Amino acid sequence: MKIIKKLALGLGVAAAAQMTQAADSGFDLATVNPEADRVALQNYFESRFPQSEISDYVNGIYAVDASSREQWEELEEFPPYEFAVEEGETLFNTPFANGKGYADCFENGGVGIRQNYPYWNKEAGTVKTLEMEINECREANGEKPLKWAKGDIAKISAYMAWTSRDKPINIEIPSDDPRAKAAYLDGKKFFYAKRGQLNLSCANCHVQGANIRIRADLPSPQLGHTSHFPVFRSKWGELGTLHRRYKGCHKDSRSKPLSHQVEVYRNLEFFQSYMNNGLVVNGPGARK
Amino acid sequence: MKKIITIAAVLALAPTFASAESFQEAFESNRAMYGKNHTFEWNGKNFSTNHEEEVEAAVAATKENALDLIAKAKAKNKEAAKLGFEWKLTGGILKDAQKAADAGEYRKALDLAAQAKYHSRMGIQQHAYAQSNWHLSVPQ
């Protein structure tokens, strides 16, 4: 573990030297630099929580809060999502009425590909999420789309994440289509803009407010946020998708949340997932 | 109504005054210190500490006035929603306003509509603020 940390630090420093940008840039399409953002975010958390390994941020709040970590490790001994993954596998392998299946819609038969989602789809001119393509696959084969928040879609997504465990997250922002960068910037802006009756941005809680008690809760660092979705939340008593979580958190600023899979939520997922490049997929996860 | 128009006009001109204290700051500190229905001076002119929505609600409690303010509040909230800055409770407040109007409680309807319209205006203002300030909390 020590070696990894040193290595990561060394890489971080080397990258930082290349990637540092002026404090007043990165906020418009001309200057936004996703790689510089990613390095800056890692550096920020490295100095906030010097005792935490960067690779451990996929474990959310438990990466930085030792007191709740023990409880969580006990929870993970008998993972509450275990049955859901098995059900997801069954659903994934059950053919549609036309005889085709999910495996026909995805690269590599849908196995071990979670780390590439969400991605910029040039033909459609939009960010595609895994859940979106699960439903598109159904519709293309004459099946009704699934409800977005939980249930079968979360189980199928959980199984697909399971087959991708430990693969490094690899979000690409193709340079041959400026709309991809614009989508990234839109997601970044959403994350940092204050909103709602409480005038809070995502960053207020998950960057500046990470591991600082806000009412009864400890918000996790945003680094690592998407790696373990869908998640089994004890509070929900079941699996839920990332956009279900987005809606809940959006509401926490006392805003009216948007709908599942709207463009700006997908752009937000694109931005957040890019921040996690190099960390590994560890979905599905379990959280309090 | 006259007052609102002057406020709006002053706000539009505000940048050219380059005043030490912006109208917004003067309004907010006077409102915080003295509450509603207080008059304060800013740049040589008198202004009320009432929010523009409170001025709008201070009309006769009639069905017509209530429905009119509800319609304005709904339109404003739609504008906020279009920008993605609708607040969580506004839709519910608008429903309550309509219910009050249906029950003939026009004073209550006016006050609720004013509150909803205020929420919407604040959401729109937040959006405008975010356009130039969202980057302030990005780690560098």
Side-chain angles (χ1 to χ4, degrees), chain A residues 12 27 38 56 60 66 222 274:
Chain A
F27 310 120
R38 193 183 67 83
D56 205 30
Q222 93 129 326
Y274 188 92

Side-chain angles (χ1 to χ4, degrees), chain B residues 17-57:
Chain B
F17 281 105
S19 143
E21 192 183 31
S22 74
F23 176 79
Q24 194 70 19
E25 286 164 347
F27 179 91
E28 273 160 19
S29 63
N30 276 282
R31 169 79 184 204
M33 284 190 290
Y34 303 109
K36 284 201 227 185
N37 301 324
H38 172 77
T39 304
F40 67 97
E41 205 187 293
W42 182 78
N43 274 336
K45 282 203 182 102
N46 283 340
F47 296 93
S48 159
T49 54
N50 291 349
H51 286 291
E52 72 180 61
E53 293 78 12
E54 286 164 346
V55 176
E56 284 178 291

Side-chain angles (χ1 to χ4, degrees), chain B residues 63-75 90-114 116:
Chain B
K63 181 175 179 183
E64 197 191 2
N65 283 339
L67 293 182
D68 183 50
L69 194 52
I70 290 172
K72 282 187 182 139
K74 277 188 181 158
T90 320
I93 295 170
L94 279 168
K95 275 197 190 125
D96 289 346
Q98 188 62 52
K99 261 189 228 154
D102 291 344
E105 299 173 63
Y106 302 125
R107 181 78 265 145
K108 188 175 167 191
L110 279 164
D111 289 343
L112 287 169

